[in-house]
Amino acid sequence: MTHLPNTNLYGFIEVRGARENNLKGVSVDIPKRHITVFTGVSGSGKSSLVFGTIAAESQRLLNDTFSTFVQGFLPHYGQPDADSLHNLSAAIIVDQKRLGGNSRSTVGTITDTYSLLRLLYSRIGQPFVGGSYVFSFNDPQGMCPDCEGLGFASSIDLDALIDRDKSLNEGAILFPTFNVDSWYWHIFADSGFFDTDKKLRDYSPDELDKLLNLEETKIKVMVGGKAMNLTYEGLLPKFKRVYLTKDIDSMQPHIRTALEGVATRSVCPTCGGTRLNQTALSSMVHGKNIAECAAMEVVDLADFIRTITEPSVAPLVHALVDKLDNLVYIGLGYLNLNRETSTLSGGESQRVKMVRHLGSSLTDMTYVFDEPSVGLHPHDVHRLNELLQQLRDKGNTVLVVEHKPKVIAIADHVVDMGPGAGRSGGEVVYEGNLDGLLQSGTLTGQHMRSRQPIKQTPRQATGTLRIEHANLHNLKDVSVDIPAGVLTVVTGVAGSGKSSLINGCLPTLYPVVAIDQTLTRGSKRSNLATNSGMLDIIRKQFATANKVSPALFSANSKGACPECNGLGAIYTDLAFLDPVISTCEACGGKQFTEEVLEYKLNGKSISDVLSMSVVEASEFFKDKALKTILTALIDVGLGYLTLRQPLTTLSGGERQRLKLATELGSTSQIYILDEPTTGLHMYDVDNLIRLLDRLVDNGSSVIVIEHNLSVIARADWVIDMGPGAGHEGGRVIFEGTPAELIHADHSFTGQFLREHAEGRV
């Protein structure tokens, strides 16, 4: 039931004249202590209003209350472009940014559940072995002495790391970051310990030991004509410290590839991967040590902790069970406390953050959520809704950017942005309650009422992709035939084994193309035009039209503004403060010199062209190759982006669609897409389905991991995993067409697909 706003009692967050990004002077009143859902097509300005304006200003004002010293450790927020904002309260952002962290950061440490578990074992564990720190794998008194609490042992193939037939000057150290003339190389070469022209095979035992194993030693090195005190460290300890203790997935692709050729990782033989020393492992509670508890799925651990009835720890047990139950309730019961945070998806990371706030006693806060339903099966969305309502009912203001109709339905107030994307958006096209939205005629209002019909005549498979006896993670000896040449959707509740089967097993058997949400890391110079290959074509057109060198039209070459080096902005380093970014006064943010800006193509300068949206550029250019790229970008729903849009500013969903655009003309591929509807409005989902059909019609096999009922309805074949999550999942519970799935009463997906077909969800 909709919670009716009492606006007279609580007042409003007042936004006046917001112009951040594509917002067109937006003014809006948002009722406090209620749930307001912001919706609209992708790129319509929702995030610019909620995150870029309201949340950013709230956090900026809060940070300003701290001393300058403390502010040095806080994120730096610029003042949003708006006339005024009033009645803000402290904002807590619960977004999809992955938690990251190194191998020492786990679900248990990030949620404080492992801290409570350690405290429990220090109180009633038998035999008694000491305080809670004894059970910490991040404390020297608790960690395994051999792996230092990491749970794995890394071994280095020395012959893959060094070439004994070369000298340092010839590049004897083979790892990329130790190349000749690199910073690391200079520390070795300029240390004074070695003859840099001497081949390593001719080193004396003492010289080789210094090169490989010497502990940290102070040395003087000449840098730019000045002597600097630096620390020398042998190659092996330095390599282990810099690379082997870090999250490999966070490294640049070429470093990750090189590392995989040098180092191998295996379970620590001393602790068996538990991370703890034998003293910590010897203490038991009800027959289990703390490592066994941390390895249990959260849902099972909660049941185990409930069996502990000792009165002395009753409050501790109650607090721990509450936290574990919250994880279960929000759909993360299949995780264990040992799970490294760097392996969590964006949706899982967001829900873990949510759990951290549920037990908070703070009220009158503003909670800001970015599509919290991501990764959730329709079966679990009602739990999310109840948690959002709990936060509201505790006296908080809840702002949600969301596309799913079931989440929009619980809103007390709806702000619909549009009418289109990019420059065609940035306006409030509807503001009010849910009933009014349904009658509003906006794209959101229309699609709240519409449904994709269940496909009745699926395509016929052209072959099969066979997976046999898959046991990765929670999979239970799964054998399945995935039809080739059709659109297959793999679904099931979160944690049921979908990704393990498709992302984990299929690529080991067949050459697949993964269209995921990652992009090759680029600098702040990487943008849409450079990534897509358009800039080279545009530069040549400008050069031909003006009979000058193409290099003039590169912001990284001759034509770049000398003041900002072609960045269009000045980055000022303030030591311990975040850098201040300001528009370059010399070029006004246009990136190029005045001379270059005088050269025109059909009346437009190179800066004018780069400021165009994809749609505008498509109307401006006639070149066939450019039109092909631009049309593909429009087809995947990225027509609102500008050509100079930095890649670092793209969302995960935008990155995935950018990858999809490059594949639209390909044939005979096996494509895997993992939740491609992330960040997509219902209108954009319909367009996505047409694109997936286009890939299949080009002769490819398309396999989509997805919860969206519209996508499932239009599949040729559905594989449903389950029946539950974690150890309760890992099986194929249905294989067939969508028309057959709606009659599968044992499938949660089937039940919701039937309701979807009947217009009830």
Side-chain angles (χ1 to χ4, degrees), residues 135-168:
F135 299 96
S136 170
F137 48 78
N138 291 328
D139 189 289
Q141 297 194 56
M143 65 176 58
C144 167
D146 288 347
C147 68
E148 297 183 340
L150 294 174
F152 56 82
S154 296
S155 57
I156 297 174
D157 182 353
L158 192 56
D159 290 330
L161 185 59
I162 62 172
D163 185 341
R164 298 172 194 268
D165 291 325
K166 290 182 178 179
S167 66
L168 285 175

Side-chain angles (χ1 to χ4, degrees), residues 68 71-73 573-579:
T68 303
Q71 287 182 41
F73 299 95
D573 185 7
L574 296 181
F576 59 86
L577 293 174
D578 283 354

Side-chain angles (χ1 to χ4, degrees), residues 539-591:
R539 287 168 54 210
K540 288 175 184 175
Q541 289 199 8
F542 267 92
T544 301
N546 294 280
K547 296 181 174 55
V548 292
S549 168
L552 283 174
F553 304 100
S554 169
N556 301 326
S557 190
K558 292 181 180 179
C561 167
E563 292 298 318
C564 62
N565 295 318
L567 288 172
I570 302 294
Y571 292 76
T572 306
D573 185 7
L574 296 181
F576 59 86
L577 293 174
D578 283 354
V580 169
I581 305 171
S582 55
T583 301
C584 174
E585 293 183 3
C587 67
K590 294 182 178 180
Q591 301 178 271

Side-chain angles (χ1 to χ4, degrees), residues 236-523:
L236 293 180
K238 177 183 278 294
F239 193 83
K240 288 178 181 176
R241 178 177 58 80
V242 173
Y243 295 108
L244 300 188
T245 60
K246 304 290 173 61
D247 171 30
I248 190 171
D249 292 327
S250 68
M251 298 176 184
Q252 292 179 305
H254 73 286
I255 298 295
R256 186 164 61 239
T257 301
L259 186 59
E260 289 168 350
V262 171
T264 57
R265 191 182 270 192
S266 57
V267 173
C268 174
T270 304
C271 68
T274 64
R275 302 169 174 249
L276 297 166
N277 60 34
Q278 291 305 308
T279 301
L281 295 174
S282 69
S283 185
M284 302 284 184
V285 171
H286 289 200
K288 293 186 183 295
N289 64 34
I290 193 169
E292 290 172 312
C293 286
M296 295 169 70
E297 290 187 7
V298 166
V299 64
D300 296 326
L301 179 59
D303 290 339
F304 171 73
I305 298 298
R306 284 190 183 89
T307 67
I308 300 172
T309 57
E310 284 83 341
S312 62
V313 291
L316 191 54
V317 166
H318 179 73
L320 180 53
V321 167
D322 269 356
K323 283 186 177 290
L324 295 171
D325 282 347
N326 282 336
L327 284 167
V328 174
Y329 190 77
I330 208 166
L332 297 177
Y334 58 91
L335 298 179
N336 59 55
L337 301 191
N338 275 342
R339 176 78 173 266
E340 293 180 14
T341 54
S342 61
T343 68
L344 298 177
S345 68
E348 287 171 333
S349 296
Q350 186 174 37
R351 292 195 288 282
V352 166
K353 294 174 193 174
M354 194 183 295
V355 167
R356 294 165 65 183
H357 297 297
L358 287 177
S360 173
S361 298
L362 293 171
T363 60
D364 278 325
M365 309 294 285
T366 296
Y367 285 90
V368 187
F369 293 92
D370 183 11
E371 208 176 342
S373 66
V374 165
L376 282 182
H377 189 275
H379 174 67
D380 297 316
V381 172
H382 75 95
R383 296 178 178 180
L384 166 71
N385 286 344
E386 289 169 8
L387 293 174
L388 295 175
Q389 289 166 329
Q390 282 180 32
L391 286 172
R392 175 200 63 195
D393 294 344
K394 286 175 62 177
N396 299 298
T397 302
V398 180
L399 310 182
V400 187
V401 174
E402 185 56 77
H403 298 296
K404 280 197 173 66
K406 286 188 72 173
V407 180
I408 298 172
I410 69 160
D412 304 317
H413 191 69
V414 178
V415 176
D416 194 19
M417 301 294 295
R423 293 179 182 175
S424 298
E427 301 174 34
V428 174
V429 294
Y430 172 78
E431 186 181 0
N433 61 24
L434 179 64
D435 291 338
L437 176 67
L438 298 177
Q439 305 298 325
S440 65
T442 67
L443 281 175
T444 305
Q446 294 171 28
H447 281 77
M448 287 285 287
R449 291 174 168 274
S450 65
R451 296 289 184 274
Q452 280 281 354
I454 303 293
K455 182 178 282 188
Q456 299 298 324
T457 54
R459 302 176 181 90
Q460 295 301 305
T462 59
T464 58
L465 306 171
R466 177 73 176 169
I467 297 176
E468 290 188 341
H469 307 297
N471 290 291
L472 182 66
H473 299 141
N474 69 328
L475 297 178
K476 296 180 173 65
D477 197 35
V478 171
S479 295
V480 65
D481 286 320
I482 301 171
V486 302
L487 173 58
T488 299
V489 174
V490 182
T491 188
V493 298
S496 59
K498 306 181 297 297
S499 293
S500 297
L501 181 67
I502 302 304
N503 290 330
C505 298
L506 193 64
T508 66
L509 303 170
Y510 301 94
V512 304
V513 178
I515 304 178
D516 56 21
Q517 298 189 5
T518 62
L519 282 178
T520 301
R521 289 190 182 192
S523 69

Side-chain angles (χ1 to χ4, degrees), residues 473-687:
H473 299 141
N474 69 328
L475 297 178
K476 296 180 173 65
D477 197 35
V478 171
S479 295
V480 65
D481 286 320
I482 301 171
V486 302
L487 173 58
T488 299
V489 174
V490 182
T491 188
V493 298
S496 59
K498 306 181 297 297
S499 293
S500 297
L501 181 67
I502 302 304
N503 290 330
C505 298
L506 193 64
T508 66
L509 303 170
Y510 301 94
V512 304
V513 178
I515 304 178
D516 56 21
Q517 298 189 5
T518 62
L519 282 178
T520 301
R521 289 190 182 192
S523 69
K524 47 182 173 271
R525 294 183 179 274
S526 300
N527 57 38
L528 188 64
T530 59
N531 178 266
S532 62
M534 287 189 287
L535 188 58
D536 288 338
I537 303 173
I538 293 170
R539 287 168 54 210
K540 288 175 184 175
Q541 289 199 8
F542 267 92
T544 301
N546 294 280
K547 296 181 174 55
V548 292
S549 168
L552 283 174
F553 304 100
S554 169
N556 301 326
S557 190
K558 292 181 180 179
C561 167
E563 292 298 318
C564 62
N565 295 318
L567 288 172
I570 302 294
Y571 292 76
T572 306
D573 185 7
L574 296 181
F576 59 86
L577 293 174
D578 283 354
V580 169
I581 305 171
S582 55
T583 301
C584 174
E585 293 183 3
C587 67
K590 294 182 178 180
Q591 301 178 271
F592 297 90
T593 64
E594 285 294 334
E595 176 197 356
V596 171
L597 294 175
E598 289 296 319
Y599 295 117
K600 306 288 185 180
L601 179 67
N602 296 332
K604 300 288 186 182
S605 71
I606 182 68
S607 183
D608 293 334
V609 167
L610 293 177
S611 295
M612 290 179 178
S613 70
V614 169
V615 169
E616 291 168 335
S618 179
E619 295 167 352
F620 179 79
F621 287 105
K622 307 304 178 191
D623 180 87
K624 186 176 179 181
L626 268 180
K627 290 285 265 189
T628 300
I629 298 171
L630 291 163
T631 300
L633 291 169
I634 293 169
D635 286 347
V636 299
L638 296 179
Y640 59 91
L641 297 180
T642 64
L643 301 195
R644 59 159 44 108
Q645 183 95 20
L647 295 187
T648 53
T649 66
L650 299 184
S651 68
E654 287 170 334
R655 292 175 179 219
Q656 188 171 38
R657 295 196 290 285
L658 182 55
K659 279 189 172 182
L660 181 59
T662 65
E663 298 291 341
L664 289 181
S666 302
T667 60
S668 303
Q669 303 283 346
I670 303 171
Y671 291 110
I672 295 176
L673 294 92
D674 195 345
E675 289 196 68
T677 62
T678 298
L680 288 185
H681 186 270
M682 295 161 274
Y683 167 80
D684 299 304
V685 171
D686 291 349
N687 290 333

